[in-house]
């Protein structure tokens, strides 16, 4: 069993839709949770970073963490064609030392159509 | 402020040759991480370095792979006697001195082994 599970998609939605992306994890030691966006043949771009359970909002993006269920989500409101990319969840056990390495999901490919 | 820089962006090697990948972290960042992304897979942690120190190399293959981050100059990931299975995208990330949980990625080096 992988430490982090993420549906690879592809997920196709019309412009303006609300997108929900999810990851589950098995390692209860994970404390820090991130979402990255990766365009084709580019490096991952940090979108959201959260530590505690609950919601964090930044513009059209909302990250949600439920540590009791080992489940994290990213919501994108009013999706745009420019949001078409692969979305990677990532997590770590700590912020310093050997615990700071990131464990990634395999990524969900999102396509927003006109 | 320039982001994380990696070079070369594309590297072609024949089996048995050596590959050297370079990473210059963001200004003010003293922590460097290397990740590998195989086709259709997520990013996998390889090694975490600070200046002149390897902090965590638990993701490095036991043979042929090495990494360094000297006092002066970029971090280097070296792969000796490359094989076709080494073909992948290699990403470098950097983080600030005391906040290792926020990692910023470079554009990657795409290695192709013929």
């Amino acid at each position: 069993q992988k430490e982090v599970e993420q549906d690879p998609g592809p997920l196709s939605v019309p412009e303006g839709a609300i997108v929900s992306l999810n990851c589950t994890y098995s390692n209860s030691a994970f404390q820090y949770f991130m979402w990255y966006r990766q365009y084709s043949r580019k490096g991952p771009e940090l979108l959201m970073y959260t530590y505690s359970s609950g919601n964090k909002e930044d513009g059209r993006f909302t990250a949600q963490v439920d540590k009791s269920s080992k489940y994290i989500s990213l919501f994108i409101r009013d999706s745009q064609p420019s949001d078409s990319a692969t979305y990677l969840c990532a997590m770590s056990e700590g912020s310093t030392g050997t615990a700071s390495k990131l464990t990634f999901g395999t990524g969900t490919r999102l396509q927003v159509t006109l | 402020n320039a982001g994380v820089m990696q070079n070369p962006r594309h590297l072609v090697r024949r089996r048995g040759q050596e590959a050297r990948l370079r990473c210059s972290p963001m200004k003010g960042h003293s922590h460097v991480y290397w990740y590998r992304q195989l086709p259709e897979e997520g990013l996998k942690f390889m090694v975490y370095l600070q200046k002149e120190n390897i902090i965590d190399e638990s993701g490095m293959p036991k043979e042929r792979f090495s990494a360094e981050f000297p006092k002066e100059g970029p971090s280097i990931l070296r792969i000796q006697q490359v094989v076709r299975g080494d073909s992948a995208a290699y990403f470098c990330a950097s983080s600030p001195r005391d906040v290792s949980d926020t990692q910023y990625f470079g554009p990657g080096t795409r290695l192709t082994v013929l």
Side-chain angles (χ1 to χ4, degrees):
Chain A
Q1 182 190 8
K2 292 181 181 178
E3 279 192 288
V4 180
E5 298 278 359
Q6 185 175 11
D7 187 336
L11 178 63
S12 183
V13 301
E15 183 179 9
I18 297 175
V19 176
S20 173
L21 303 165
N22 312 293
C23 288
T24 59
Y25 62 95
S26 57
N27 184 354
S28 57
F30 286 141
Q31 299 293 328
Y32 296 84
F33 305 91
M34 285 130 272
W35 284 95
Y36 286 85
R37 177 174 62 194
Q38 186 176 26
Y39 291 111
S40 181
R41 306 189 75 75
K42 303 288 187 183
E45 172 193 7
L46 181 63
L47 280 178
M48 299 288 283
Y49 157 74
T50 55
Y51 169 65
S52 58
S53 285
N55 293 355
K56 180 178 181 179
E57 189 173 320
D58 184 0
R60 295 186 296 113
F61 299 94
T62 299
Q64 192 173 76
V65 174
D66 182 348
K67 288 186 178 179
S68 63
S69 301
K70 298 190 181 66
Y71 187 88
I72 69 170
S73 299
L74 177 70
F75 298 96
I76 308 174
R77 289 184 299 281
D78 188 24
S79 55
Q80 303 294 312
S82 59
D83 294 328
S84 298
T86 296
Y87 289 80
L88 304 163
C89 64
M91 36 201 89
S92 69
E93 295 181 12
S95 62
T96 59
T98 58
S100 62
K101 64 184 177 187
L102 298 180
T103 300
F104 282 86
T106 52
T108 299
R109 197 184 317 168
L110 172 67
Q111 181 73 40
V112 181
T113 58
L114 291 169
Chain B
N1 185 14
V4 177
M5 299 176 70
Q6 291 188 248
N7 67 81
R9 296 291 307 277
H10 302 274
L11 182 61
V12 179
R13 286 287 178 266
R14 296 189 181 279
R15 282 178 294 170
Q17 291 184 320
E18 179 179 285
R20 283 197 184 195
L21 289 62
R22 295 175 181 78
C23 169
S24 296
M26 287 177 70
K27 186 177 181 181
H29 288 193
S30 58
H31 300 225
V32 166
Y33 302 77
W34 286 93
Y35 294 83
R36 177 166 62 176
Q37 188 173 38
L38 293 167
E40 306 304 322
E41 292 189 20
L43 284 89
K44 304 290 186 188
F45 168 78
M46 299 181 75
V47 62
Y48 165 31
L49 310 104
Q50 295 177 18
K51 287 283 188 181
E52 300 184 283
N53 278 308
I54 297 175
I55 306 302
D56 183 356
E57 56 182 347
S58 59
M60 288 279 269
K62 294 287 187 282
E63 298 176 347
R64 303 187 296 109
F65 285 71
S66 62
E68 62 178 5
F69 190 13
K71 187 176 181 181
E72 301 290 338
S75 175
I76 307 280
L77 179 68
R78 182 183 294 113
I79 311 172
Q80 295 177 304
Q81 299 177 344
V82 296
V83 300
R84 289 216 173 115
D86 297 332
S87 295
Y90 291 83
F91 291 97
C92 167
S94 73
S95 65
R97 181 178 301 274
D98 294 316
V99 190
S100 303
D101 51 304
T102 48
Q103 297 181 23
Y104 297 90
F105 282 78
T109 294
R110 276 159 184 82
L111 172 65
T112 301
V113 179
L114 301 177

